[in-house]
Amino acid sequence: DAATGTAAGAEGLSALLLDAKLGEICTSIRALARSNDELREALKEHPGDRDFIVAIHENEEIIIKRREMAAELVRQLRKAGIDADVPQDVLEMKVEWKGSHTTSSSGSGDGGVAKEGGATDE
């Protein structure tokens, strides 16, 4: 096991840590989405408030980056033989920010990760 330093134990611990990190990232994405919902409600009361608009866009940029991180963790977990997916609610979150990142996914549960031999950004 990992405590005795065997390779199999270290790989198991590594996969466990990757899975925990995936959960942490998805939790933070959900929190950012809730924050944006609250900011949008506040924006209804204060139309055009630049601070609210900037905060929403910054949160959406972070959501996009964290979804990409989650997809990469899924790739690593699958490579280690662990069946993992980005949760559907995280994949389906609407992001309106029009930055340089894409907001679409393949619907495969991995944030657009192609299978072996497929066209990816890898």
Side-chain angles (χ1 to χ4, degrees):
D1 64 11
T4 60
T6 65
E11 287 176 15
L13 180 59
S14 178
L16 182 63
L17 293 173
L18 290 174
D19 189 53
K21 185 67 176 174
L22 177 61
E24 178 185 311
I25 289 171
C26 291
T27 297
S28 76
I29 290 170
R30 291 179 184 113
L32 287 163
R34 280 191 303 275
S35 174
N36 272 2
D37 290 344
E38 293 168 6
L39 287 164
R40 284 188 183 93
E41 284 300 313
L43 197 55
K44 289 178 185 176
E45 296 174 23
H46 305 281
D49 186 297
R50 178 116 177 100
D51 290 334
F52 292 153
I53 293 168
V54 169
I56 289 167
H57 287 258
E58 288 174 351
N59 284 352
E60 288 184 343
E61 183 175 0
I62 294 167
I63 288 169
I64 291 166
K65 288 178 182 176
R66 291 198 178 154
R67 273 202 296 219
E68 291 170 356
M69 291 170 58
E72 177 57 31
L73 288 172
V74 165
R75 277 192 285 271
Q76 292 177 25
L77 285 163
R78 288 181 178 174
K79 193 172 185 177
I82 309 278
D83 184 27
D85 289 314
V86 176
Q88 201 63 34
D89 67 309
V90 171
L91 287 176
E92 293 175 351
M93 262 177 216
K94 184 178 179 185
V95 178
E96 298 171 2
W97 184 71
K98 304 296 186 222
S100 61
H101 294 86
T102 180
T103 60
S104 64
S105 73
S106 66
S108 63
D110 59 5
V113 178
K115 305 299 179 243
E116 287 288 323
T120 68
D121 55 1
E122 296 179 323

